[in-house]
mmCIF file of all heavy atoms in Angstrom:
data_model
loop_
_atom_site.group_PDB
_atom_site.id
_atom_site.type_symbol
_atom_site.label_atom_id
_atom_site.label_comp_id
_atom_site.label_asym_id
_atom_site.label_seq_id
_atom_site.Cartn_x
_atom_site.Cartn_y
_atom_site.Cartn_z
ATOM 1 N N THR V 1 -13.014 -34.966 -51.744
ATOM 2 C CA THR V 1 -12.547 -35.636 -52.928
ATOM 3 C C THR V 1 -11.107 -35.329 -53.129
ATOM 4 O O THR V 1 -10.283 -36.120 -53.461
ATOM 5 C CB THR V 1 -13.408 -35.251 -54.232
ATOM 6 O OG1 THR V 1 -14.825 -35.466 -53.900
ATOM 7 C CG2 THR V 1 -13.004 -36.095 -55.460
ATOM 8 N N GLY V 2 -10.865 -33.960 -52.981
ATOM 9 C CA GLY V 2 -9.428 -33.601 -53.049
ATOM 10 C C GLY V 2 -8.520 -34.279 -52.016
ATOM 11 O O GLY V 2 -7.412 -34.762 -52.283
ATOM 12 N N VAL V 3 -9.050 -34.345 -50.805
ATOM 13 C CA VAL V 3 -8.265 -34.971 -49.690
ATOM 14 C C VAL V 3 -8.058 -36.596 -50.177
ATOM 15 O O VAL V 3 -7.003 -37.155 -49.871
ATOM 16 C CB VAL V 3 -8.996 -34.843 -48.415
ATOM 17 C CG1 VAL V 3 -8.292 -35.784 -47.258
ATOM 18 C CG2 VAL V 3 -9.003 -33.440 -47.922
ATOM 19 N N THR V 4 -9.040 -37.156 -50.747
ATOM 20 C CA THR V 4 -8.874 -38.540 -51.052
ATOM 21 C C THR V 4 -7.781 -38.700 -52.152
ATOM 22 O O THR V 4 -7.053 -39.657 -52.101
ATOM 23 C CB THR V 4 -10.207 -39.053 -51.631
ATOM 24 O OG1 THR V 4 -11.225 -38.920 -50.626
ATOM 25 C CG2 THR V 4 -10.079 -40.545 -52.135
ATOM 26 N N VAL V 5 -7.743 -37.763 -53.032
ATOM 27 C CA VAL V 5 -6.577 -37.825 -54.038
ATOM 28 C C VAL V 5 -5.232 -37.697 -53.357
ATOM 29 O O VAL V 5 -4.320 -38.382 -53.673
ATOM 30 C CB VAL V 5 -6.758 -36.756 -55.078
ATOM 31 C CG1 VAL V 5 -5.578 -36.540 -56.001
ATOM 32 C CG2 VAL V 5 -8.095 -36.979 -55.978
ATOM 33 N N LEU V 6 -5.181 -36.820 -52.307
ATOM 34 C CA LEU V 6 -3.838 -36.698 -51.606
ATOM 35 C C LEU V 6 -3.611 -37.857 -50.800
ATOM 36 O O LEU V 6 -2.413 -38.388 -50.825
ATOM 37 C CB LEU V 6 -3.888 -35.552 -50.759
ATOM 38 C CG LEU V 6 -4.116 -34.045 -51.481
ATOM 39 C CD1 LEU V 6 -4.382 -33.012 -50.317
ATOM 40 C CD2 LEU V 6 -3.036 -33.835 -52.376
ATOM 41 N N VAL V 7 -4.507 -38.551 -50.283
ATOM 42 C CA VAL V 7 -4.320 -39.806 -49.424
ATOM 43 C C VAL V 7 -3.951 -40.909 -50.425
ATOM 44 O O VAL V 7 -2.933 -41.745 -50.117
ATOM 45 C CB VAL V 7 -5.641 -40.218 -48.656
ATOM 46 C CG1 VAL V 7 -5.491 -41.669 -48.107
ATOM 47 C CG2 VAL V 7 -5.814 -39.223 -47.566
ATOM 48 N N THR V 8 -4.491 -41.002 -51.635
ATOM 49 C CA THR V 8 -4.095 -41.994 -52.564
ATOM 50 C C THR V 8 -2.748 -41.801 -52.961
ATOM 51 O O THR V 8 -1.910 -42.798 -53.186
ATOM 52 C CB THR V 8 -5.103 -41.950 -53.804
ATOM 53 O OG1 THR V 8 -6.368 -42.211 -53.316
ATOM 54 C CG2 THR V 8 -4.766 -42.984 -54.786
ATOM 55 N N ALA V 9 -2.284 -40.574 -53.180
ATOM 56 C CA ALA V 9 -0.868 -40.249 -53.543
ATOM 57 C C ALA V 9 0.072 -40.729 -52.520
ATOM 58 O O ALA V 9 1.101 -41.229 -52.827
ATOM 59 C CB ALA V 9 -0.661 -38.691 -53.774
ATOM 60 N N TYR V 10 -0.373 -40.469 -51.178
ATOM 61 C CA TYR V 10 0.454 -40.850 -50.142
ATOM 62 C C TYR V 10 0.625 -42.454 -50.176
ATOM 63 O O TYR V 10 1.767 -42.904 -49.931
ATOM 64 C CB TYR V 10 -0.178 -40.522 -48.784
ATOM 65 C CG TYR V 10 0.449 -41.264 -47.670
ATOM 66 C CD1 TYR V 10 1.719 -40.740 -47.086
ATOM 67 C CD2 TYR V 10 -0.169 -42.353 -47.034
ATOM 68 C CE1 TYR V 10 2.332 -41.513 -46.093
ATOM 69 C CE2 TYR V 10 0.619 -43.051 -46.132
ATOM 70 C CZ TYR V 10 1.830 -42.603 -45.536
ATOM 71 O OH TYR V 10 2.294 -43.309 -44.526
ATOM 72 N N GLN V 11 -0.434 -43.201 -50.340
ATOM 73 C CA GLN V 11 -0.434 -44.550 -50.420
ATOM 74 C C GLN V 11 0.446 -45.085 -51.482
ATOM 75 O O GLN V 11 1.271 -46.077 -51.245
ATOM 76 C CB GLN V 11 -1.844 -45.111 -50.640
ATOM 77 C CG GLN V 11 -2.657 -44.914 -49.339
ATOM 78 C CD GLN V 11 -4.096 -45.167 -49.684
ATOM 79 O OE1 GLN V 11 -4.637 -45.173 -50.842
ATOM 80 N NE2 GLN V 11 -4.836 -45.606 -48.660
ATOM 81 N N LYS V 12 0.485 -44.532 -52.716
ATOM 82 C CA LYS V 12 1.297 -44.920 -53.843
ATOM 83 C C LYS V 12 2.832 -44.661 -53.474
ATOM 84 O O LYS V 12 3.656 -45.454 -53.787
ATOM 85 C CB LYS V 12 0.922 -44.155 -55.166
ATOM 86 C CG LYS V 12 -0.349 -44.590 -55.619
ATOM 87 C CD LYS V 12 -0.651 -43.788 -56.947
ATOM 88 C CE LYS V 12 -1.984 -44.319 -57.554
ATOM 89 N NZ LYS V 12 -2.244 -43.612 -58.746
ATOM 90 N N ALA V 13 3.037 -43.340 -52.869
ATOM 91 C CA ALA V 13 4.432 -43.018 -52.595
ATOM 92 C C ALA V 13 4.914 -44.048 -51.470
ATOM 93 O O ALA V 13 6.136 -44.474 -51.589
ATOM 94 C CB ALA V 13 4.546 -41.501 -52.091
ATOM 95 N N HIS V 14 4.175 -44.214 -50.450
ATOM 96 C CA HIS V 14 4.541 -45.151 -49.437
ATOM 97 C C HIS V 14 4.875 -46.548 -49.959
ATOM 98 O O HIS V 14 5.895 -47.062 -49.458
ATOM 99 C CB HIS V 14 3.461 -45.151 -48.281
ATOM 100 C CG HIS V 14 3.918 -46.042 -47.044
ATOM 101 N ND1 HIS V 14 4.830 -45.481 -46.235
ATOM 102 C CD2 HIS V 14 3.418 -47.224 -46.677
ATOM 103 C CE1 HIS V 14 4.883 -46.326 -45.229
ATOM 104 N NE2 HIS V 14 4.118 -47.402 -45.527
ATOM 105 N N ALA V 15 4.074 -47.114 -50.735
ATOM 106 C CA ALA V 15 4.298 -48.412 -51.389
ATOM 107 C C ALA V 15 5.575 -48.503 -52.103
ATOM 108 O O ALA V 15 6.185 -49.430 -52.115
ATOM 109 C CB ALA V 15 3.057 -48.846 -52.175
ATOM 110 N N ALA V 16 5.820 -47.302 -52.726
ATOM 111 C CA ALA V 16 7.106 -47.302 -53.671
ATOM 112 C C ALA V 16 8.354 -46.945 -52.833
ATOM 113 O O ALA V 16 9.440 -46.811 -53.352
ATOM 114 C CB ALA V 16 6.811 -46.357 -54.716
ATOM 115 N N ARG V 17 8.091 -46.665 -51.507
ATOM 116 C CA ARG V 17 9.201 -46.102 -50.653
ATOM 117 C C ARG V 17 9.830 -44.839 -51.151
ATOM 118 O O ARG V 17 11.054 -44.601 -51.143
ATOM 119 C CB ARG V 17 10.268 -47.203 -50.577
ATOM 120 C CG ARG V 17 9.828 -48.453 -49.723
ATOM 121 C CD ARG V 17 10.942 -49.516 -49.556
ATOM 122 N NE ARG V 17 11.091 -49.978 -50.896
ATOM 123 C CZ ARG V 17 12.268 -50.125 -51.475
ATOM 124 N NH1 ARG V 17 13.436 -49.763 -50.869
ATOM 125 N NH2 ARG V 17 12.380 -50.802 -52.693
ATOM 126 N N CYS V 18 8.832 -43.989 -51.611
ATOM 127 C CA CYS V 18 9.179 -42.643 -52.147
ATOM 128 C C CYS V 18 8.760 -41.662 -51.043
ATOM 129 O O CYS V 18 7.835 -41.848 -50.385
ATOM 130 C CB CYS V 18 8.374 -42.378 -53.427
ATOM 131 S SG CYS V 18 8.401 -40.754 -54.072
ATOM 132 N N VAL V 19 9.520 -40.562 -50.869
ATOM 133 C CA VAL V 19 9.170 -39.484 -49.897
ATOM 134 C C VAL V 19 8.184 -38.653 -50.601
ATOM 135 O O VAL V 19 8.356 -38.008 -51.672
ATOM 136 C CB VAL V 19 10.489 -38.677 -49.495
ATOM 137 C CG1 VAL V 19 10.108 -37.635 -48.620
ATOM 138 C CG2 VAL V 19 11.455 -39.694 -48.853
ATOM 139 N N LEU V 20 7.098 -38.258 -49.863
ATOM 140 C CA LEU V 20 6.042 -37.346 -50.276
ATOM 141 C C LEU V 20 5.880 -36.385 -49.162
ATOM 142 O O LEU V 20 5.608 -36.707 -48.058
ATOM 143 C CB LEU V 20 4.687 -38.080 -50.587
ATOM 144 C CG LEU V 20 3.549 -37.213 -50.877
ATOM 145 C CD1 LEU V 20 3.761 -36.454 -52.236
ATOM 146 C CD2 LEU V 20 2.249 -37.986 -50.971
ATOM 147 N N ALA V 21 5.875 -35.192 -49.569
ATOM 148 C CA ALA V 21 5.667 -34.015 -48.571
ATOM 149 C C ALA V 21 4.588 -33.154 -49.208
ATOM 150 O O ALA V 21 4.622 -32.846 -50.390
ATOM 151 C CB ALA V 21 6.964 -33.318 -48.331
ATOM 152 N N LEU V 22 3.730 -32.548 -48.228
ATOM 153 C CA LEU V 22 2.852 -31.547 -48.629
ATOM 154 C C LEU V 22 3.391 -30.235 -48.081
ATOM 155 O O LEU V 22 3.618 -30.074 -46.830
ATOM 156 C CB LEU V 22 1.391 -31.881 -48.072
ATOM 157 C CG LEU V 22 0.860 -33.225 -48.502
ATOM 158 C CD1 LEU V 22 -0.561 -33.311 -47.834
ATOM 159 C CD2 LEU V 22 0.779 -33.396 -49.949
ATOM 160 N N ALA V 23 3.481 -29.175 -48.940
ATOM 161 C CA ALA V 23 4.135 -27.964 -48.498
ATOM 162 C C ALA V 23 3.054 -26.761 -48.664
ATOM 163 O O ALA V 23 2.258 -26.849 -49.554
ATOM 164 C CB ALA V 23 5.207 -27.530 -49.407
ATOM 165 N N GLY V 24 2.948 -25.888 -47.716
ATOM 166 C CA GLY V 24 2.212 -24.678 -47.764
ATOM 167 C C GLY V 24 0.705 -24.728 -47.565
ATOM 168 O O GLY V 24 -0.022 -23.999 -48.067
ATOM 169 N N LEU V 25 0.276 -25.749 -46.728
ATOM 170 C CA LEU V 25 -1.193 -25.820 -46.492
ATOM 171 C C LEU V 25 -1.575 -24.612 -45.869
ATOM 172 O O LEU V 25 -0.996 -24.108 -44.882
ATOM 173 C CB LEU V 25 -1.400 -27.082 -45.546
ATOM 174 C CG LEU V 25 -1.612 -28.364 -46.172
ATOM 175 C CD1 LEU V 25 -0.445 -28.901 -46.767
ATOM 176 C CD2 LEU V 25 -2.131 -29.377 -45.136
ATOM 177 N N ASN V 26 -2.754 -24.197 -46.275
ATOM 178 C CA ASN V 26 -3.363 -22.957 -45.639
ATOM 179 C C ASN V 26 -3.995 -23.362 -44.266
ATOM 180 O O ASN V 26 -4.086 -24.533 -43.991
ATOM 181 C CB ASN V 26 -4.435 -22.228 -46.598
ATOM 182 C CG ASN V 26 -5.635 -23.209 -46.870
ATOM 183 O OD1 ASN V 26 -6.162 -23.958 -46.021
ATOM 184 N ND2 ASN V 26 -6.126 -22.998 -48.111
ATOM 185 N N ASP V 27 -4.448 -22.359 -43.531
ATOM 186 C CA ASP V 27 -4.831 -22.600 -42.072
ATOM 187 C C ASP V 27 -6.069 -23.461 -42.067
ATOM 188 O O ASP V 27 -6.260 -24.529 -41.287
ATOM 189 C CB ASP V 27 -5.290 -21.348 -41.378
ATOM 190 C CG ASP V 27 -3.942 -20.548 -41.005
ATOM 191 O OD1 ASP V 27 -2.922 -21.062 -41.108
ATOM 192 O OD2 ASP V 27 -4.192 -19.266 -40.808
ATOM 193 N N ASP V 28 -7.052 -23.350 -43.028
ATOM 194 C CA ASP V 28 -8.223 -24.156 -43.152
ATOM 195 C C ASP V 28 -7.888 -25.692 -43.358
ATOM 196 O O ASP V 28 -8.471 -26.557 -42.745
ATOM 197 C CB ASP V 28 -9.221 -23.674 -44.199
ATOM 198 C CG ASP V 28 -9.908 -22.352 -43.843
ATOM 199 O OD1 ASP V 28 -9.854 -21.959 -42.609
ATOM 200 O OD2 ASP V 28 -10.216 -21.675 -44.742
ATOM 201 N N LEU V 29 -7.095 -25.908 -44.460
ATOM 202 C CA LEU V 29 -6.695 -27.355 -44.855
ATOM 203 C C LEU V 29 -5.840 -27.942 -43.690
ATOM 204 O O LEU V 29 -6.014 -29.055 -43.375
ATOM 205 C CB LEU V 29 -6.012 -27.236 -46.120
ATOM 206 C CG LEU V 29 -5.848 -28.662 -46.723
ATOM 207 C CD1 LEU V 29 -7.180 -29.406 -46.795
ATOM 208 C CD2 LEU V 29 -5.199 -28.551 -48.078
ATOM 209 N N SER V 30 -5.012 -27.158 -42.999
ATOM 210 C CA SER V 30 -4.277 -27.611 -41.874
ATOM 211 C C SER V 30 -5.164 -28.122 -40.772
ATOM 212 O O SER V 30 -4.902 -29.108 -40.181
ATOM 213 C CB SER V 30 -3.243 -26.571 -41.391
ATOM 214 O OG SER V 30 -2.225 -26.341 -42.281
ATOM 215 N N ARG V 31 -6.300 -27.344 -40.521
ATOM 216 C CA ARG V 31 -7.058 -27.645 -39.473
ATOM 217 C C ARG V 31 -7.937 -28.980 -39.804
ATOM 218 O O ARG V 31 -8.133 -29.835 -38.993
ATOM 219 C CB ARG V 31 -8.190 -26.452 -39.206
ATOM 220 C CG ARG V 31 -9.101 -26.765 -38.169
ATOM 221 C CD ARG V 31 -9.943 -25.513 -37.610
ATOM 222 N NE ARG V 31 -10.734 -25.059 -38.730
ATOM 223 C CZ ARG V 31 -10.471 -23.849 -39.428
ATOM 224 N NH1 ARG V 31 -9.523 -23.135 -39.062
ATOM 225 N NH2 ARG V 31 -11.335 -23.494 -40.385
ATOM 226 N N VAL V 32 -8.337 -29.099 -41.050
ATOM 227 C CA VAL V 32 -9.008 -30.266 -41.477
ATOM 228 C C VAL V 32 -8.051 -31.457 -41.362
ATOM 229 O O VAL V 32 -8.558 -32.587 -40.847
ATOM 230 C CB VAL V 32 -9.444 -30.179 -43.039
ATOM 231 C CG1 VAL V 32 -9.904 -31.442 -43.552
ATOM 232 C CG2 VAL V 32 -10.566 -29.090 -43.031
ATOM 233 N N PHE V 33 -6.861 -31.335 -41.864
ATOM 234 C CA PHE V 33 -5.877 -32.471 -41.634
ATOM 235 C C PHE V 33 -5.677 -32.824 -40.263
ATOM 236 O O PHE V 33 -5.692 -34.020 -39.773
ATOM 237 C CB PHE V 33 -4.562 -32.034 -42.328
ATOM 238 C CG PHE V 33 -4.442 -32.470 -43.736
ATOM 239 C CD1 PHE V 33 -5.432 -32.017 -44.599
ATOM 240 C CD2 PHE V 33 -3.427 -33.165 -44.163
ATOM 241 C CE1 PHE V 33 -5.372 -32.386 -46.018
ATOM 242 C CE2 PHE V 33 -3.373 -33.459 -45.562
ATOM 243 C CZ PHE V 33 -4.323 -33.048 -46.452
ATOM 244 N N GLY V 34 -5.742 -31.830 -39.322
ATOM 245 C CA GLY V 34 -5.596 -32.082 -37.817
ATOM 246 C C GLY V 34 -6.772 -32.888 -37.231
ATOM 247 O O GLY V 34 -6.681 -33.853 -36.579
ATOM 248 N N ILE V 35 -8.037 -32.416 -37.767
ATOM 249 C CA ILE V 35 -9.214 -33.162 -37.255
ATOM 250 C C ILE V 35 -9.247 -34.499 -37.745
ATOM 251 O O ILE V 35 -9.679 -35.448 -37.026
ATOM 252 C CB ILE V 35 -10.501 -32.306 -37.703
ATOM 253 C CG1 ILE V 35 -10.488 -30.914 -37.081
ATOM 254 C CG2 ILE V 35 -11.730 -33.163 -37.563
ATOM 255 C CD1 ILE V 35 -11.575 -30.051 -37.604
ATOM 256 N N MET V 36 -8.862 -34.690 -38.919
ATOM 257 C CA MET V 36 -8.888 -36.050 -39.505
ATOM 258 C C MET V 36 -7.711 -36.946 -39.152
ATOM 259 O O MET V 36 -7.646 -38.200 -39.487
ATOM 260 C CB MET V 36 -8.896 -36.107 -41.048
ATOM 261 C CG MET V 36 -10.215 -35.345 -41.607
ATOM 262 S SD MET V 36 -10.107 -35.109 -43.463
ATOM 263 C CE MET V 36 -10.465 -36.678 -44.002
ATOM 264 N N GLY V 37 -6.791 -36.366 -38.463
ATOM 265 C CA GLY V 37 -5.569 -37.138 -38.116
ATOM 266 C C GLY V 37 -4.620 -37.302 -39.165
ATOM 267 O O GLY V 37 -3.544 -37.990 -39.056
ATOM 268 N N LEU V 38 -4.801 -36.605 -40.288
ATOM 269 C CA LEU V 38 -3.844 -36.797 -41.428
ATOM 270 C C LEU V 38 -2.522 -36.010 -41.174
ATOM 271 O O LEU V 38 -1.525 -36.384 -41.817
ATOM 272 C CB LEU V 38 -4.534 -36.201 -42.776
ATOM 273 C CG LEU V 38 -5.606 -37.216 -43.160
ATOM 274 C CD1 LEU V 38 -6.392 -36.606 -44.491
ATOM 275 C CD2 LEU V 38 -5.162 -38.563 -43.536
ATOM 276 N N ASP V 39 -2.572 -35.137 -40.282
ATOM 277 C CA ASP V 39 -1.255 -34.491 -39.877
ATOM 278 C C ASP V 39 -0.263 -35.465 -39.275
ATOM 279 O O ASP V 39 0.968 -35.176 -39.142
ATOM 280 C CB ASP V 39 -1.507 -33.236 -38.914
ATOM 281 C CG ASP V 39 -2.183 -33.722 -37.703
ATOM 282 O OD1 ASP V 39 -2.875 -34.684 -37.581
ATOM 283 O OD2 ASP V 39 -2.040 -32.943 -36.724
ATOM 284 N N GLN V 40 -0.873 -36.614 -38.897
ATOM 285 C CA GLN V 40 0.014 -37.628 -38.258
ATOM 286 C C GLN V 40 0.511 -38.570 -39.370
ATOM 287 O O GLN V 40 1.429 -39.431 -39.147
ATOM 288 C CB GLN V 40 -0.683 -38.430 -37.234
ATOM 289 C CG GLN V 40 -1.142 -37.561 -36.096
ATOM 290 C CD GLN V 40 -0.066 -36.856 -35.297
ATOM 291 O OE1 GLN V 40 0.873 -37.553 -34.789
ATOM 292 N NE2 GLN V 40 -0.195 -35.573 -35.245
ATOM 293 N N VAL V 41 -0.049 -38.537 -40.567
ATOM 294 C CA VAL V 41 0.251 -39.417 -41.655
ATOM 295 C C VAL V 41 1.199 -38.805 -42.638
ATOM 296 O O VAL V 41 2.170 -39.279 -42.991
ATOM 297 C CB VAL V 41 -1.075 -39.921 -42.401
ATOM 298 C CG1 VAL V 41 -0.690 -40.716 -43.570
ATOM 299 C CG2 VAL V 41 -1.929 -40.670 -41.416
ATOM 300 N N PHE V 42 0.795 -37.543 -43.138
ATOM 301 C CA PHE V 42 1.642 -36.817 -44.084
ATOM 302 C C PHE V 42 2.809 -36.215 -43.367
ATOM 303 O O PHE V 42 2.760 -35.756 -42.317
ATOM 304 C CB PHE V 42 0.777 -35.805 -44.741
ATOM 305 C CG PHE V 42 -0.163 -36.272 -45.733
ATOM 306 C CD1 PHE V 42 -1.520 -36.584 -45.389
ATOM 307 C CD2 PHE V 42 0.199 -36.577 -47.053
ATOM 308 C CE1 PHE V 42 -2.423 -37.064 -46.404
ATOM 309 C CE2 PHE V 42 -0.664 -37.119 -48.050
ATOM 310 C CZ PHE V 42 -1.987 -37.328 -47.746
ATOM 311 N N THR V 43 3.881 -35.970 -44.311
ATOM 312 C CA THR V 43 4.871 -34.980 -43.882
ATOM 313 C C THR V 43 4.427 -33.565 -44.381
ATOM 314 O O THR V 43 4.318 -33.281 -45.492
ATOM 315 C CB THR V 43 6.180 -35.448 -44.546
ATOM 316 O OG1 THR V 43 6.530 -36.731 -44.135
ATOM 317 C CG2 THR V 43 7.257 -34.347 -44.333
ATOM 318 N N LEU V 44 4.072 -32.694 -43.416
ATOM 319 C CA LEU V 44 3.598 -31.408 -43.622
ATOM 320 C C LEU V 44 4.695 -30.455 -43.333
ATOM 321 O O LEU V 44 5.237 -30.419 -42.276
ATOM 322 C CB LEU V 44 2.312 -31.164 -42.914
ATOM 323 C CG LEU V 44 1.211 -32.145 -42.972
ATOM 324 C CD1 LEU V 44 0.018 -31.707 -42.049
ATOM 325 C CD2 LEU V 44 0.725 -32.090 -44.473
#
């Protein structure tokens, strides 16, 4: 559910041509983002 909120934020920022970055992801969340391919979508 938290990941979904972050993806929705990305979609809003992208639609508005706003830069969105995620900083300081811990190892577990970084691994999840990698598995889901979100590391290719977000600026981490």
Side-chain angles (χ1 to χ4, degrees):
T1 307
V3 172
T4 300
V5 170
L6 298 175
V7 169
T8 301
Y10 167 81
Q11 291 169 332
K12 288 180 181 182
H14 184 72
R17 293 178 290 126
C18 173
V19 175
L20 175 67
L22 306 182
L25 272 69
N26 64 35
D27 291 341
D28 291 336
L29 193 53
S30 291
R31 187 171 57 253
V32 168
F33 271 51
I35 291 168
M36 297 175 77
L38 293 175
D39 60 336
Q40 302 300 307
V41 175
F42 283 97
T43 299
L44 305 176

